[in-house]
Amino acid sequence: MNKSVNNFLEKAKSTLNQAYSHAKETIYSITSTPSASVQQISDYVISHPDSKIVKKHYLGLTLSFYELEQGQMHYYLETNGHKILQLDVHSKDHSVVSYRSYRDQLSLNTPVKFPDLHGSK
């Protein structure tokens, strides 16, 4: 019985996270708030020609470390193949995104609000 209660709680938690993500996306869309998902930011950093990339091999795994300075924003990304392990985005004044795959429960497609940087991203 304890296992079925845990399964129920996990499903409820997952459903609430999905509902929260969808509501957040809808609000940002309606209010025209500049936002992007962790996945979109990661794709941007990986594909940007100015990104600095370092690859390291540990115990048969290839980890990639990306850094990008773009306007007032600093991006740092760690991946293991296509899996996003860590993403940090900082503006001059504060942290915009701090994603860790081992702790964050939100979907990679949940929108993240960006500060108004007067057109600089």
Side-chain angles (χ1 to χ4, degrees):
M1 181 156 148
N2 195 16
K3 187 175 182 178
S4 62
V5 170
N6 285 340
N7 286 341
F8 173 77
L9 290 175
E10 281 301 314
K11 285 182 183 180
K13 184 177 178 182
S14 176
T15 301
L16 285 173
N17 280 335
Q18 289 173 355
Y20 172 74
S21 296
H22 182 69
K24 194 173 182 182
E25 185 176 334
T26 301
I27 290 169
Y28 287 167
S29 175
I30 291 169
T31 62
S32 299
T33 301
S35 64
S37 69
V38 169
Q39 185 65 57
Q40 289 172 322
I41 298 167
S42 173
D43 292 343
Y44 173 75
V45 172
I46 290 170
S47 65
H48 199 283
D50 294 336
S51 289
K52 295 176 184 137
I53 306 164
V54 174
K55 293 188 183 253
K56 295 187 179 185
H57 304 282
Y58 298 108
L59 302 171
L61 298 174
T62 301
L63 301 179
S64 300
F65 304 89
Y66 298 82
E67 285 195 67
L68 174 64
E69 292 282 341
Q70 196 68 14
Q72 296 180 35
M73 304 298 276
H74 174 81
Y75 300 84
Y76 177 79
L77 173 66
E78 292 180 9
T79 65
N80 175 8
H82 295 290
K83 181 175 173 69
I84 300 167
L85 301 176
Q86 176 178 333
L87 175 66
D88 291 307
V89 180
H90 299 277
S91 73
K92 179 171 79 170
D93 300 325
H94 66 283
S95 175
V96 178
V97 177
S98 179
Y99 172 82
R100 304 293 184 272
S101 63
Y102 59 85
R103 73 157 191 236
D104 293 319
Q105 299 298 314
L106 293 179
S107 163
L108 292 175
N109 296 312
T110 300
V112 177
K113 181 180 173 186
F114 270 76
D116 181 10
L117 298 174
H118 308 291
S120 298
K121 280 191 181 181

